Amino acid sequence: MRYAARPVVWACLLLSVTAQAGEIDALKAGVFNPPREAPDFSVRGSDGAALTLSQYRGKVVVLGFGYTHCPNVCPATLAVLALAHRKLGALGSQVQVIYLTVDPERDNAERLKEYLAAFDSSFVGGTGSAAQMAAVRLSYGVTAQKVGTGSDYGVAHSSFIYLITREGKLRALMPFGHKADDYVHDISMLLN
């Protein structure tokens, strides 16, 4: 009799794992499972005030790293995020895009504000000292390496986007190349 219960236990375990896998597979992005606390930071915002991740608790945060002199990946990513934000419609007010510079030498708050406004005026940028920004990158596993010399140098950097829940948990990682509809899908899931 005690062995008769085993198929029921295994069936329950299988259903539990399948349900969890279904939730994970439902997102288009790579998933942090279990979700973990997103590292907080304090840098200068593109509005000139202090910018922290924690000030956006209650919103889904779309967090990216890039720079204003980037010739292709950064503007392409920001254009996709702007389109996704528009496609979210009224839900967009529950989302905050934060774009942190990997080039604090050239990207001051004013430059970031002007650059991001060309994509979406609600986007917020962040900058700080080289040491501050390096610490933030390190906490997120983002790499950035100056390429070239002179004033026209480039920065080779990680090009993925973090999706952070309303509670401040890292939930997903979207690699470069995803379409706006993928962001809309995943952000909508995180909002529900």
Side-chain angles (χ1 to χ4, degrees), residues 19-29 31 60 88 91 95 163 165-167 171-172 181-192:
Q20 290 173 0
E23 176 187 321
I24 293 165
D25 291 340
L27 291 174
K28 306 283 184 183
V31 175
V60 169
L88 283 165
L91 290 176
V95 177
L163 301 180
T165 67
R166 296 174 191 261
E167 299 77 31
R171 187 65 182 115
D181 289 340
D182 292 342
Y183 283 98
V184 170
H185 175 271
D186 285 8
I187 291 167
S188 296
M189 289 192 69
L190 294 180
L191 287 170
N192 294 322

Side-chain angles (χ1 to χ4, degrees), residues 20 25 29 34 43 46 76 84 87 98 107 121 125 134 140 170:
Q20 290 173 0
D25 291 340
V43 297
S46 52
K87 285 184 167 198
I98 300 176
D107 288 344
S121 62
Y140 280 91
L170 287 170

Side-chain angles (χ1 to χ4, degrees), residues 92-106:
S93 66
Q94 299 173 49
V95 177
Q96 182 59 58
V97 172
I98 300 176
Y99 212 66
L100 300 178
T101 186
V102 296
D103 185 16
E105 191 175 314
R106 293 184 292 192

Side-chain angles (χ1 to χ4, degrees), residues 5 18 23-25 32 38 63 69 79 86 88 119 123 125 144 153 166 174 183:
T18 304
E23 176 187 321
I24 293 165
D25 291 340
F32 289 95
L63 176 65
H69 287 81
R86 284 193 305 277
L88 283 165
F119 298 96
F123 289 5
Y153 66 85
R166 296 174 191 261
M174 190 79 79
Y183 283 98

